[in-house]
Amino acid sequence: CFMANFVQNQNIQVHTSDAGFLAHAYGDADKNNFNTISSNGCAMPWEGSTNMRPNVRFEVSPAFANTDTLFNIGYSTAGAFADVNNDGYIDAVVGNVAGGVQFFYGKKFENDIGLKEPEAISTGDFSVYPNPGKGAFSIARSTGTPATLKVFSLNGAQVLSKTLNQPLESISLEHLPKGMYLFLLQEGDQVHSKKVIKN
């Protein structure tokens, strides 16, 4: 959304990236004399959707006081996130403007509100082959209990979801670009993961 406090007489350039799915709704500020000095961008008429999502930088502020005394790793920090040690939990590498780097292991969130979190277990409880493959993959499991397979691209977009009911099933990623994908298989409260390469 935007709030216009001045008349814009030239286009504003916004860099975008292809999210791989419809990730952004847009309108046309020039239609119906909408682009006036008092226009409210949140009320702009919807024009369409696109895969091209604006590159956005977020500034995150803590929701509680005295953050520095609890967790201070430097100024102008930037993080990178991945399952570095392959334990099923996302880890973080955080760098700061002074050149320092810190590593944080991800772990299961221990809550005290009585909700059970799906627990990541060994990645060996199902197999995907061929890996690497050209787009047609087989999913092999030891049982045919109902499970949900979700496939994610590296930018976090879910590109496929399928219910599995057999020990051996096939899926196709032939419509997707080459690259690495994360396969998450959920059986009850257990989540299994595999990294799969399409070449």
Side-chain angles (χ1 to χ4, degrees):
C1 299
F2 70 88
M3 293 293 293
N5 295 316
F6 61 93
V7 176
Q8 180 66 36
N9 58 10
Q10 60 184 352
N11 291 333
I12 299 173
Q13 294 187 2
V14 179
H15 293 278
T16 61
S17 297
D18 190 340
F21 59 96
L22 292 179
H24 178 61
Y26 60 89
D28 188 339
D30 291 328
K31 283 193 174 178
N32 304 317
N33 298 317
F34 182 81
N35 194 17
T36 66
I37 198 166
S38 60
S39 293
N40 177 356
C42 294
M44 184 190 305
W46 177 80
E47 182 78 13
S49 300
T50 177
N51 286 12
M52 300 306 291
R53 180 168 51 195
N55 297 340
V56 179
R57 168 182 272 176
F58 292 97
E59 183 174 320
V60 180
S61 299
F64 52 90
N66 300 325
T67 309
D68 293 20
T69 60
L70 301 175
F71 187 68
N72 186 359
I73 57 173
Y75 295 99
S76 300
T77 57
F81 304 90
D83 184 4
V84 176
N85 58 356
N86 206 25
D87 65 354
Y89 299 104
I90 299 298
D91 308 306
V93 177
V94 181
N96 62 45
V97 71
V101 176
Q102 290 183 287
F103 181 77
F104 299 91
Y105 287 104
K107 66 175 188 175
K108 179 181 177 183
F109 174 67
E110 301 292 346
N111 67 64
D112 58 359
I113 58 175
L115 298 177
K116 189 170 184 182
E117 180 179 276
E119 184 174 344
I121 62 173
S122 168
T123 58
D125 291 321
F126 78 106
S127 59
V128 181
Y129 62 90
N131 186 15
K134 296 190 179 298
F137 296 96
S138 294
I139 312 295
R141 303 182 294 143
S142 58
T143 69
T145 56
T148 301
L149 175 72
K150 293 184 179 180
V151 180
F152 295 87
S153 65
L154 286 187
N155 66 3
Q158 181 178 312
V159 296
L160 184 139
S161 179
K162 182 178 180 179
T163 300
L164 305 180
N165 294 301
Q166 303 296 327
L168 181 63
E169 298 202 30
S170 299
I171 65 161
S172 174
L173 302 184
E174 293 173 348
H175 61 291
L176 297 172
K178 296 177 181 178
M180 182 179 291
Y181 293 88
L182 180 64
F183 283 42
L184 292 182
L185 184 74
Q186 182 163 0
E187 296 178 300
D189 61 354
Q190 296 181 332
V191 178
H192 317 274
S193 67
K194 290 284 184 190
K195 295 172 186 173
V196 177
I197 297 173
K198 179 191 173 188
N199 57 18

